[in-house]
């Protein structure tokens, strides 16, 4: 029986993947790197520490990586944060889980201050038990550090008694590294085939679809044998 659910945030609870890609594209351009939107979008879900080396050499990372990352954060805050909207059904899904006694954690590659904004946008500020961000992990997704940090805060919950929910293959890979199964959602724009290849045990359109089919999902309480 599931005791805790560990949610990704961007692309899972809030509609922000395209906006993050645009912020990264703008930041790279401002630092002299013209990179296609699609190339960057396919990397969203990773933290900046894992995304930037896809496009920058080790020497460029050393010279400008930190400044570029900070610039991206400013652009996201100033240009794109006001455009982020929640996906339908998020607070209702969280309340349903809490009614079943399930604890809720967030495990996001976002910075801690961004994560607070996303909680507000999603309407879940008072519905989260624990949370971790890229600030709580040495390496961001697809490494498992963030999920391991979330599990460590869900004291007494074994990986087998928890499940992750995310929209990218990087979520599923990171969760598997922490011993978690993953439910995939398509609302972040990644193909179902990519999510299944990454190991997702079930796929839903988004939070509202997962809530509508809750009793047939891996989140459902199972009737006792006999």
């Amino acid at each position: 029986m599931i005791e805790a659910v560990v949610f990704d945030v961007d692309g899972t609870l809030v509609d922000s993947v395209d906006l993050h890609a645009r912020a990264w594209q703008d930041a790279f351009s401002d630092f002299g790197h013209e990179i296609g939107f699609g190339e960057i979008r396919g990397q969203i879900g990773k933290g900046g520490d894992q995304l930037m080396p896809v496009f920058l050499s080790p020497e460029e990372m050393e010279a400008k990586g930190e400044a570029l990352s900070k610039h991206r954060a400013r652009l996201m805050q100033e240009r794109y944060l006001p455009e982020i909207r929640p996906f339908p059904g998020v607070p209702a899904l969280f309340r349903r889980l809490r009614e079943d006694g399930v604890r809720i954690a967030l495990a996001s590659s976002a910075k801690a201050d961004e994560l607070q904004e996303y909680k507000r946008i999603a309407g879940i500020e008072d519905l989260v038990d624990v949370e971790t961000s890229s600030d709580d992990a040495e390496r961001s997704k697809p490494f498992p550090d963030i999920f391991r940090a979330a599990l460590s805060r869900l004291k007494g919950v074994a990986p087998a008694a928890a499940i992750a929910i995310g929209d990218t293959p990087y979520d599923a890979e990171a969760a598997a590294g922490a011993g978690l199964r993953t439910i995939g959602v398509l609302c972040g724009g990644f193909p179902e085939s990519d999510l299944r290849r990454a190991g997702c045990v079930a796929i839903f359109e988004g939070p509202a679809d997962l809530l509508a089919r809750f009793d047939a999902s891996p989140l459902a309480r199972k009737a006792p044998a006999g």
Side-chain angles (χ1 to χ4, degrees):
M1 197 163 127
I2 298 298
E3 298 176 11
V5 178
V6 186
F7 285 90
D8 170 60
V9 179
D10 284 297
T12 299
L13 305 179
V14 296
D15 189 1
S16 57
V17 175
D18 284 357
L19 300 175
H20 277 291
R22 286 162 60 187
W24 277 113
Q25 187 178 36
D26 292 351
F28 278 119
S29 179
D30 290 344
F31 276 71
H33 299 270
E34 299 302 327
I35 302 170
F37 174 83
E39 292 180 80
I40 295 174
R41 196 193 192 287
Q43 300 297 318
I44 300 300
K46 298 178 178 180
D49 63 312
Q50 303 301 316
L51 183 151
M52 286 188 293
V54 174
F55 305 107
L56 301 179
S57 69
E59 294 75 21
E60 289 169 330
M61 282 294 296
E62 180 69 25
K64 64 178 76 170
E66 183 176 355
L68 194 155
S69 180
K70 289 180 178 177
H71 182 54
R72 191 285 316 169
R74 285 194 296 272
L75 292 177
M76 190 68 199
Q77 179 75 26
E78 294 169 6
R79 293 183 186 175
Y80 298 116
L81 184 64
E83 297 183 37
I84 295 177
R85 298 293 182 267
F87 288 120
V90 174
L93 175 60
F94 277 38
R95 286 193 291 268
R96 172 63 191 273
L97 288 166
R98 290 173 73 90
E99 287 170 7
D100 281 356
V102 176
R103 300 175 69 191
I104 295 173
L106 304 181
S108 172
S109 291
K111 297 290 187 183
D113 56 345
E114 293 177 342
L115 182 56
Q116 299 312 306
E117 287 293 327
Y118 301 156
K119 285 167 59 181
R120 179 188 62 77
I121 291 167
I124 55 172
E125 290 173 293
D126 60 344
L127 297 173
V128 175
D129 295 296
V130 303
E131 62 193 56
T132 55
S133 68
S134 61
D135 299 346
D136 300 305
E138 183 177 344
R139 303 167 300 178
S140 67
K141 302 170 188 173
F143 289 97
D145 303 29
I146 292 171
F147 282 106
R148 287 175 177 163
L151 283 170
S152 73
R153 296 181 183 181
L154 288 166
K155 299 186 185 301
V157 177
I163 196 164
I165 299 179
D167 70 300
T168 76
Y170 315 120
D171 294 315
E173 292 168 23
L180 297 169
R181 296 171 298 148
T182 300
I183 295 171
V185 289
L186 299 174
C187 47
F190 283 80
E192 179 174 348
S193 57
D194 288 1
L195 298 179
R196 292 201 181 277
R197 273 196 300 270
C200 290
V201 298
I203 306 288
F204 294 85
E205 291 296 326
D209 181 39
L210 179 52
L211 178 61
R213 296 194 284 150
F214 192 95
D215 290 336
S217 80
L219 301 178
R221 286 182 175 274
K222 305 303 180 186

